Amino acid sequence: MLNLQNRDFTIFKFERLCEAIAENYPTATMAEYFEKKHPERFVLMRHDVDRMPGNALEIALIEYELGVKATYYFRSIKSVFKPEIMKQIQDMGHEVGYHYETLSDANGDPKKGIELFQSNLDEFRKITNVKTICMHGRPLSKYDNLDLWDTYDFRDFGILGEAYLSAGEDLNYFTDTGRGWNSKNNLRDFIPGKTEQVFADTTDNLTELIESGRINNFYIVTHPERWSSSIIGWSLYYSMDIAFNLGKKGLMGFNGVNNLGKGVDYNSLSVTIDLEDWYHIPSVCGSKFSVYKDVNEFFENWNDKYDYLSEPTKRVLDILDEFNVTATFFVVADVAEHYPGLIESICARGHEIGCHGAHHRCNIDSKTKEPLISGEEFETETLKAKRILERISGKEVIGYRAPNALITGDMLDSLEKIGFKYDSSVCVNSLYNKTDSPLEGVSTYPYHPTVGGLEPGEYRDFIEFPWAYYDIGVKIPASGGPMLRFLGSHVILKGLKQSLNRGHTIFYFHPIDISNEKFPDVGNGRPFYWAIKGDIVEKRIRHILNNLENVEKVPLKDMVR
């Protein structure tokens, strides 16, 4: 027979967790946290009442008897909005807040969403003085309810803070979403900008961590319906969790959000520039289907104008100055030979120089992902490119981006071996995969790749900075580049903002994206590749930078510790 006391996510495990908290840390409500009325060491207990409000009352009583204060966020739907239960919980000394989902309810219309928010908030305030709010994730909705505050300000409604947006980056965040404290099944339940540094797989692990007293704070989030006191209730919700997790993994394309990144622990953006000219693209040079085998063959046979790079690069430098952005330029090393002084002009403006290969040739086949050169040849060629760029810049080159973003785990191992500290080539999305890996567990924020692969692994002195995507049930590449030209700034900006909610992310483009000159009509298999470029793309870049004005922007070298 099932022994409930030995199972996780039972009322017994919850009570033991609360006992550990009561014995080792004072607790604070979310309102007290936002008002800074808490000690240096503390625990924030937050309960998202998505369903089964009776369970919320049961755990509130356990906390009350142990002297643990908590905050309960109730949804406005009829099955959850139970005034008598909410009043009883409040009378125990707990805080009651509003678990809003009105942007989803309004099908993404901010005006209707804020009207619903105000109406529901008024109903809540007939019961309790709501001081704080918390977004409800609605993983099956394509709308992120946090986006409501891109248009409006919750402070205008007398709200002290939002449980995700207002949470400090110093908090150690643990949530039972997905029936585990490790966040691997989370779509939206994480603190924007926070990359967790401590971990727990089970409630016992979390309890032991609290008892150890080794960290200053805990931000613990539970869903009361998950914590059952009966075998039937536990079994029912166990089955539901399994089904929900499988559904979420379907939505995430089995490459879903994994908020267990290590290393960099704050929300910021790196603007990166790929410095290459029109002939560097694979339809012209350096691929199995290109017109020319490589750049050397191109220059042996090309007698017309080739430099379409210098003029737009100067304009890019002016744009970066205008927006006070220090960027990372991933430079193809042969630019040093064919564009004298161009790399020096970038260094003179204070930007970081990274390596974008020696000649921008593909290192693996874009279809089969089989290597096109040996590992030894890759290391020799890339090290030579690194030294050329270091000689010109006068600084160590520690970052790499693979030509055409074609990357493998073995290449990362080679990069680390020859002195690089990071790579920024991985792009998780549902349209294509330019790697030899399924990219399971990779999201849009930095991580330490496993040796020999591209998935997150144990700590190593090498970091991968993956690119942004926009998750609307399928993942759309949203870091910029060609997608900025093809999809426009609206989609890219939405993807960047969504990715920033997960942590640090990448925006990139090429100077030739904003060139107004007509490129030579040369290339195989991509007749419309440059159909959109020039002033229209420059306007898109400016629009994105304007809308991300308040986001901290740092070159990638500053993210490597």
Side-chain angles (χ1 to χ4, degrees):
M1 184 175 179
L2 184 66
N3 184 346
L4 200 60
Q5 292 194 7
N6 293 329
R7 300 286 169 170
D8 206 350
F9 301 103
T10 65
I11 203 70
F12 308 107
K13 294 289 186 182
F14 181 80
E15 186 169 8
R16 180 70 193 92
L17 176 67
C18 288
E19 288 171 351
I21 293 170
E23 292 168 4
N24 293 278
Y25 289 87
T27 51
T29 65
M30 295 302 296
E32 289 171 337
Y33 169 73
F34 294 136
E35 291 173 325
K36 302 189 185 305
K37 295 179 179 178
H38 61 82
E40 181 181 355
R41 292 170 56 82
F42 64 96
V43 170
L44 284 176
M45 285 291 282
R46 185 186 108 202
H47 305 297
D48 293 353
V49 189
D50 294 346
R51 51 188 67 85
M52 300 183 186
N55 280 34
L57 183 60
E58 186 175 4
I59 68 172
L61 182 59
I62 290 172
E63 290 171 328
Y64 170 69
E65 291 175 344
L66 290 169
V68 172
K69 288 189 292 186
T71 298
Y72 287 76
Y73 290 110
F74 282 77
R75 295 170 70 189
S76 61
I77 60 174
K78 189 176 293 186
S79 61
V80 174
F81 186 77
K82 301 295 183 183
E84 286 306 313
I85 290 178
M86 294 159 69
K87 287 177 182 176
Q88 289 181 64
I89 290 175
Q90 179 182 251
D91 289 345
M92 294 179 198
H94 301 302
E95 178 189 0
V96 173
Y98 173 26
H99 203 28
Y100 66 95
E101 52 194 307
T102 56
L103 192 61
S104 293
D105 289 335
N107 293 317
D109 184 329
K111 187 173 185 298
K112 290 181 180 178
I114 204 65
E115 289 172 354
L116 275 172
F117 178 85
Q118 177 69 79
S119 175
N120 291 340
L121 183 62
D122 289 343
E123 291 301 308
F124 270 80
R125 282 179 167 162
K126 292 176 182 178
I127 301 165
T128 182
N129 180 22
V130 174
K131 294 182 178 181
T132 70
I133 56 174
C134 175
M135 170 275 290
H136 176 54
R138 295 266 296 258
L140 298 182
S141 170
K142 65 180 180 179
Y143 301 107
D144 187 337
N145 288 293
L146 287 174
D147 289 348
L148 186 64
W149 311 120
D150 289 345
T151 307
Y152 300 98
D153 189 336
F154 53 74
R155 291 170 293 190
D156 293 339
F157 299 86
I159 298 298
L160 292 173
E162 207 282 345
Y164 292 102
L165 295 177
S166 307
E169 295 170 9
D170 61 321
L171 292 175
N172 297 291
Y173 187 76
F174 298 87
T175 174
D176 69 354
T177 297
R179 204 175 190 85
W181 299 102
N182 53 21
S183 303
K184 67 182 179 181
N185 293 309
N186 293 356
L187 279 170
R188 293 181 176 131
D189 192 358
F190 51 89
I191 303 175
K194 173 64 179 176
T195 304
E196 295 168 322
Q197 300 297 305
V198 288
F199 313 98
D201 291 324
T202 67
T203 306
D204 285 341
N205 293 155
L206 180 57
T207 300
E208 289 167 2
L209 187 58
I210 289 168
E211 290 174 334
S212 75
R214 69 179 179 87
I215 59 177
N216 278 345
N217 64 62
F218 291 81
Y219 183 178
I220 298 172
V221 179
T222 82
H223 298 76
E225 65 269 19
R226 184 164 286 121
W227 301 83
S228 180
S229 58
S230 72
I231 292 175
I232 293 175
W234 184 91
S235 300
L236 175 64
Y237 217 83
Y238 176 82
S239 301
M240 289 176 61
D241 276 333
I242 297 300
F244 272 119
N245 289 345
L246 287 173
K248 288 178 185 178
K249 286 190 176 183
L251 284 176
M252 294 188 281
F254 295 97
N255 291 321
V257 175
N258 175 356
N259 298 304
L260 299 183
K262 302 175 185 177
V264 180
D265 60 359
Y266 59 96
N267 174 302
S268 54
L269 177 74
S270 287
V271 177
T272 65
I273 319 294
D274 287 3
L275 196 72
E276 62 197 58
D277 213 334
W278 63 277
Y279 58 84
H280 283 115
I281 67 172
S283 61
V284 182
C285 287
S287 75
K288 292 182 71 173
F289 61 90
S290 60
V291 176
Y292 299 97
K293 176 184 176 182
D294 53 33
V295 170
N296 289 334
E297 184 177 294
F298 169 80
F299 276 103
E300 287 170 3
N301 292 276
W302 190 260
N303 297 312
D304 295 328
K305 175 183 175 181
Y306 67 84
D307 181 3
Y308 293 83
L309 176 62
S310 295
E311 186 274 335
T313 299
K314 293 173 183 175
R315 286 164 52 207
V316 166
L317 290 171
D318 290 340
I319 292 170
L320 296 173
D321 280 351
E322 180 184 336
F323 285 92
N324 194 31
V325 172
T326 302
T328 298
F329 280 74
F330 289 102
V331 180
V332 179
D334 65 32
V335 168
E337 177 183 355
H338 301 293
Y339 306 79
L342 188 60
I343 301 173
E344 289 89 339
S345 69
I346 296 167
C347 297
R349 303 278 190 110
H351 301 291
E352 178 190 6
I353 299 297
C355 181
H356 199 29
H359 306 290
H360 203 264
R361 69 165 168 171
C362 300
N363 294 301
I364 62 173
D365 186 286
S366 59
K367 293 183 179 179
T368 67
K369 311 305 189 300
E370 293 298 318
L372 297 175
I373 62 174
S374 68
E376 183 179 355
E377 186 180 358
F378 171 72
E379 289 175 14
T380 300
E381 182 181 277
T382 306
L383 182 57
K384 181 180 178 181
K386 183 178 189 287
R387 287 173 175 165
I388 290 171
L389 297 173
E390 288 175 338
R391 175 178 53 81
I392 294 172
S393 66
K395 295 182 179 179
E396 184 183 10
V397 171
I398 62 171
Y400 179 85
R401 174 166 290 161
N404 305 303
L406 291 162
I407 193 72
T408 70
D410 288 340
M411 287 169 62
L412 296 192
D413 294 347
S414 290
L415 291 171
E416 185 177 20
K417 177 182 175 183
I418 61 178
F420 287 91
K421 297 293 185 183
Y422 72 83
D423 172 74
S424 181
S425 307
V426 171
C427 180
V428 174
N429 68 87
S430 302
L431 306 183
Y432 58 80
N433 185 347
K434 292 188 173 186
T435 79
D436 64 347
S437 162
L439 301 178
E440 289 191 20
V442 180
S443 183
T444 58
Y445 50 82
Y447 67 96
H448 297 288
T450 187
V451 174
L454 295 172
E455 288 78 16
E458 297 300 319
Y459 177 83
R460 65 191 283 198
D461 194 21
F462 191 89
I463 299 175
E464 176 64 41
F465 292 94
W467 300 357
Y469 60 69
Y470 184 29
D471 191 345
I472 54 172
V474 295
K475 293 184 177 69
I476 300 172
S479 54
M483 290 301 165
L484 177 62
R485 304 200 309 271
F486 300 146
L487 300 180
S489 58
H490 178 72
V491 171
I492 299 301
L493 186 58
K494 293 287 284 185
L496 287 170
K497 287 184 175 181
Q498 189 185 79
S499 297
L500 283 165
N501 283 344
R502 304 182 190 106
H504 179 86
T505 198
I506 300 293
F507 174 50
Y508 92 100
F509 56 91
H510 311 81
I512 52 175
D513 292 338
I514 67 171
S515 172
N516 287 306
E517 295 191 74
K518 186 180 185 303
F519 299 155
D521 190 18
V522 177
N524 288 331
R526 297 183 179 181
F528 304 109
Y529 192 75
W530 295 113
I532 302 171
K533 64 179 184 65
D535 288 342
I536 187 172
V537 179
E538 180 176 340
K539 289 178 182 177
R540 292 173 180 177
I541 292 168
R542 289 179 175 277
H543 177 70
I544 288 169
L545 293 177
N546 268 317
N547 277 271
L548 298 178
E549 182 179 6
N550 295 324
V551 175
E552 183 182 9
K553 301 173 188 69
V554 294
L556 285 169
K557 65 180 178 61
D558 289 356
M559 302 291 291
V560 179
R561 299 176 179 177

